[in-house]
Amino acid sequence: MTSEGSGTTEDSGEVLYGAVDLGGSHIGLALGTVDPAAGEYRLIARRNLEGGGYEGWAPVLDQIAEGILELGREVGARAAAVGLGCPGWVDTEKGETRFLPNLPTRWRDVPVARILGERLEAPVHLLNDVRAATLGEFTLGAGRGTSTMALFALGTGIGGGVVVDGKLRLGPLGSAGELGHQTVDPNGPLCGCGNRGCLEAVASGPAVAGTGVRLLRSGQAPALFELTGGDAGLVTAETMGEAARAGDEAVKRELERIARLVGIAVANVVVAIHPELIVLGGGVAGLGDLLFDGVRQELAERVRVFPIDDVRVEPAVLGTDAGLAGVLVWTASFGSSSP
Amino acid sequence: MTSEGSGTTEDSGEVLYGAVDLGGSHIGLALGTVDPAAGEYRLIARRNLEGGGYEGWAPVLDQIAEGILELGREVGARAAAVGLGCPGWVDTEKGETRFLPNLPTRWRDVPVARILGERLEAPVHLLNDVRAATLGEFTLGAGRGTSTMALFALGTGIGGGVVVDGKLRLGPLGSAGELGHQTVDPNGPLCGCGNRGCLEAVASGPAVAGTGVRLLRSGQAPALFELTGGDAGLVTAETMGEAARAGDEAVKRELERIARLVGIAVANVVVAIHPELIVLGGGVAGLGDLLFDGVRQELAERVRVFPIDDVRVEPAVLGTDAGLAGVLVWTASFGSSSP
């Protein structure tokens, strides 16, 4: 079976799935195959669309459907089922978005699975995007071979996900796993969610950058000044890391402070579920040992109630593909039956 | 089948189990029946032994075996299987204790299931005691009908347990669920575990009492003084609650501060697993609304990332029986086959 419409790839006969990573500024589309038991996946064709969507969800879904169909024409096969990672709360059973806070029109109660399903003539499955990334890393990435793990996605916001005894914890509307909204500093800075002292408020990309700008403007970061030419717009977790390695002591110490706050959040997850693995991903995790050393030290200092030699803290390995990869796993988990 | 040795009760033919709650100062023994699906259990006969055991584990196991056999003779039947709740880390598969920190001789690597099993001629199953209480409340108590919940046991220490999608999370040696060792105040007071600012260090019975003694001695708690006759030895969560209700404003405010710290720990569990239910048990939970109001308020203020109208915070209902009840559930879950 190699004809268009077969739902299998031309070469191997593996089932072909569509995967969509729906973001505010960009939308990733892919066709791919996945073998969860082997921990392997392959993205066969991909395409990026611009996000935006101030005109509402209808034209965005149009673009997505057209894009998936075009990818199918490119590879000469069509997707047997399609999954969407969505930035917010979705009813996975009904295949409807409930509230996507980062998209301009919020996508309240949009029957995405039905609309796309009709266009694509295939079952469509929704999942929160960071839960998808968690499933991706768990099944195909850093978590292969483990049973219980948590992921912290340290980006512009801080998302996460929890897998307990082999099963992704979804919770109502896929909302469980919001590890960035643990309170790590009860009287700390205001978070975007409205709480004070969330991990996101002290260790997200913007929090790291804000710390860097303070050091830059107060004359405490000569290497960072040189790297950025004094331009606050160029201060990021990445340039902070470079500055620390180039000798900025204040930058290094502040990054350690931030790492230790991540370590508190990690420790709180560890005492609660005692996972085998904590995965750190996102731009801030790109700091490497400047982050991981502090996290591991704090974890060891905080968790004394039981031995934690068996708890690893490791970087994510799938990078920005984690979401698409996880969507493949999610979609494949339904078989090729309708949702 | 009503004869001794049948493993069933005389009246109903239900399977009879033995349950042991192994503590430092006291050991609870019981024979009982349980119907997990109906959420019901019955303790048919029970007995308390003194704890202690400075001579080591052998005489303690002797007493337990003799006690269970005597209870069997009393009711004219014997236990088809026996479960032990243990205050520490146990290898549930091997039926061996690994480390029970609160018992005088620590019980390192004691093959309890084998030793008791030979004496009782029945399979013996071990479980951490607070995980047992969690299972008890989940199946037979406050958690009946729920799927995902966490329990905080606010006593001399603070233990806990987590049930995700219907399954008690054990973790290595049953160590998951140590919710009292979440860091809620990064630079807070020293905890018994060695960390600073654990929930246990700020909201356990001793922490509440310590706060009360400070208020008593500094003249800020006239009602507490009257209730206790100025005797610090009589300051407990219970007398603190009475003093607050009798008008001690400082006591009331300090209890609210403590409740809010519990609320932070509860909030951190909620964002991670989005449970339907948080159960608060132990002596400090006896404060009633003086505790629960502050916990619920803090939870609402802290968790803004998703709606939490569906998360209840409720008192435990099984009281000191929770451990024995949970051990019955645990033991019944193995059927009557050998472990």
Side-chain angles (χ1 to χ4, degrees):
Chain A
M1 301 259 290
T2 60
S3 69
E4 187 178 333
S6 67
T8 58
T9 58
E10 212 162 323
D11 47 353
S12 65
E14 291 172 291
V15 179
L16 189 70
Y17 296 106
V20 181
D21 189 8
L22 178 61
S25 57
H26 118 280
I27 299 168
L29 305 180
L31 292 182
T33 61
V34 63
D35 181 346
E40 286 169 6
Y41 76 107
R42 199 156 58 99
L43 298 182
I44 290 163
R46 52 195 301 178
R47 169 169 307 191
N48 286 323
L49 303 176
E50 268 183 42
Y54 284 91
E55 309 79 31
W57 49 266
V60 175
L61 290 184
D62 240 26
Q63 278 185 293
I64 288 173
E66 196 45 48
I68 291 283
L69 290 171
E70 276 179 31
L71 289 179
R73 288 190 284 272
E74 274 176 29
V75 305
R78 66 177 193 81
V82 176
L84 261 91
C86 301
W89 319 130
V90 297
D91 186 325
T92 55
E93 285 181 24
K94 293 191 179 154
E96 298 178 0
T97 55
R98 284 287 168 263
F99 184 60
L100 309 186
N102 300 323
L103 297 193
T105 61
R106 313 293 191 222
W107 291 47
R108 287 184 198 273
D109 303 329
V110 182
V112 170
R114 184 177 61 71
I115 295 169
L116 277 185
E118 285 169 8
R119 286 284 303 274
L120 298 172
E121 294 173 25
V124 172
H125 305 280
L126 311 190
L127 182 63
N128 172 281
D129 56 354
V130 193
R131 254 56 80 198
T134 303
L135 195 57
E137 287 289 347
F138 175 68
T139 311
L140 309 170
R144 286 199 298 178
T146 67
S147 168
T148 297
M149 66 161 250
L151 174 132
F152 288 75
L154 307 161
T156 305
I158 298 183
V162 172
V163 177
V164 178
D165 292 326
K167 192 176 168 209
L168 178 69
R169 169 64 184 156
L170 285 175
L173 304 183
S175 57
E178 287 293 344
L179 304 179
H181 296 279
Q182 290 186 80
T183 300
V184 294
D185 181 3
N187 300 307
L190 188 65
C191 183
C193 74
N195 181 28
R196 286 201 169 273
C198 284
L199 181 65
E200 179 171 303
V202 297
S204 61
V208 173
T211 297
V213 169
R214 176 169 55 78
L215 297 177
L216 184 82
R217 297 247 171 112
S218 59
Q220 297 181 71
L224 185 62
F225 191 94
E226 202 172 298
L227 277 161
T228 59
D231 179 354
L234 297 177
V235 176
T236 62
E238 194 179 346
T239 52
M240 290 277 281
E242 284 175 51
R245 290 182 215 281
D248 271 349
E249 195 56 32
V251 172
K252 200 172 162 190
R253 287 174 66 185
E254 282 295 83
L255 288 178
E256 189 185 337
R257 178 182 63 79
I258 290 167
R260 286 183 167 263
L261 289 164
V262 176
I264 290 176
V266 166
N268 287 348
V269 171
V270 168
V271 294
I273 61 169
H274 198 158
E276 300 153 80
L277 177 66
I278 298 285
V279 178
L280 306 182
V284 174
L287 284 165
D289 53 2
L290 290 167
L291 178 76
F292 282 79
D293 287 356
V295 172
R296 292 186 182 119
Q297 280 166 32
E298 192 73 13
L299 176 63
E301 286 176 24
R302 292 288 174 192
V303 182
R304 294 161 180 260
V305 64
F306 51 70
I308 53 166
D309 318 335
D310 54 359
V311 181
R312 291 177 294 123
V313 179
E314 301 290 347
V317 300
L318 300 180
T320 52
D321 280 352
L324 287 172
V327 161
L328 288 178
V329 176
W330 178 248
T331 307
S333 74
F334 294 91
S336 46
S337 63
S338 285
Chain B
M1 304 258 289
T2 59
S3 67
E4 187 179 330
S6 67
T8 58
T9 59
E10 212 161 326
D11 47 353
S12 65
E14 291 173 290
V15 179
L16 189 70
Y17 296 107
V20 181
D21 189 9
L22 178 61
S25 56
H26 117 280
I27 299 168
L29 305 180
L31 293 182
T33 60
V34 64
D35 182 347
E40 288 167 6
Y41 75 106
R42 200 157 57 100
L43 298 182
I44 290 163
R46 52 195 303 179
R47 169 169 307 190
N48 286 322
L49 304 175
E50 268 183 39
Y54 284 94
E55 309 79 30
W57 50 265
V60 175
L61 290 183
D62 240 26
Q63 278 185 293
I64 289 173
E66 196 44 48
I68 291 284
L69 291 171
E70 276 178 31
L71 289 178
R73 288 190 285 271
E74 274 175 29
V75 305
R78 66 177 192 81
V82 176
L84 262 90
C86 301
W89 319 131
V90 298
D91 186 323
T92 55
E93 285 183 22
K94 293 192 177 152
E96 299 179 0
T97 56
R98 285 286 167 262
F99 184 59
L100 309 185
N102 300 322
L103 298 193
T105 61
R106 312 295 191 221
W107 291 48
R108 287 184 200 273
D109 303 328
V110 183
V112 169
R114 183 176 62 71
I115 295 168
L116 278 185
E118 285 170 9
R119 286 286 302 274
L120 299 171
E121 294 173 26
V124 172
H125 305 279
L126 311 190
L127 182 63
N128 172 281
D129 56 355
V130 193
R131 253 56 79 198
T134 303
L135 195 58
E137 287 289 347
F138 174 69
T139 311
L140 309 169
R144 285 199 297 177
T146 67
S147 168
T148 296
M149 66 162 251
L151 174 132
F152 288 73
L154 306 160
T156 305
I158 298 183
V162 172
V163 177
V164 178
D165 292 326
K167 193 175 169 212
L168 177 70
R169 169 65 185 155
L170 285 174
L173 304 182
S175 57
E178 286 293 343
L179 304 178
H181 296 279
Q182 291 186 80
T183 299
V184 294
D185 181 3
N187 299 307
L190 189 66
C191 182
C193 75
N195 181 29
R196 286 202 170 275
C198 284
L199 181 64
E200 178 170 303
V202 297
S204 60
V208 173
T211 298
V213 169
R214 174 169 55 79
L215 298 177
L216 184 81
R217 298 246 170 114
S218 59
Q220 299 181 71
L224 185 62
F225 191 93
E226 203 172 299
L227 277 162
T228 59
D231 180 353
L234 297 177
V235 176
T236 62
E238 195 179 347
T239 52
M240 290 277 282
E242 285 175 51
R245 290 182 214 282
D248 272 349
E249 195 56 31
V251 172
K252 200 172 162 189
R253 287 175 64 187
E254 281 295 83
L255 288 179
E256 189 185 338
R257 178 181 63 80
I258 290 168
R260 287 184 166 262
L261 290 164
V262 177
I264 290 175
V266 166
N268 286 348
V269 171
V270 168
V271 293
I273 62 169
H274 197 159
E276 301 152 79
L277 177 66
I278 298 285
V279 178
L280 305 182
V284 174
L287 285 165
D289 54 2
L290 290 167
L291 177 76
F292 282 79
D293 288 355
V295 172
R296 291 185 183 120
Q297 281 167 32
E298 191 73 14
L299 177 62
E301 287 177 25
R302 292 289 174 191
V303 182
R304 295 163 179 258
V305 65
F306 52 71
I308 53 166
D309 318 335
D310 54 359
V311 180
R312 293 177 293 125
V313 180
E314 302 290 348
V317 300
L318 300 179
T320 51
D321 279 354
L324 287 172
V327 162
L328 288 178
V329 176
W330 177 247
T331 306
S333 73
F334 294 91
S336 46
S337 62
S338 285

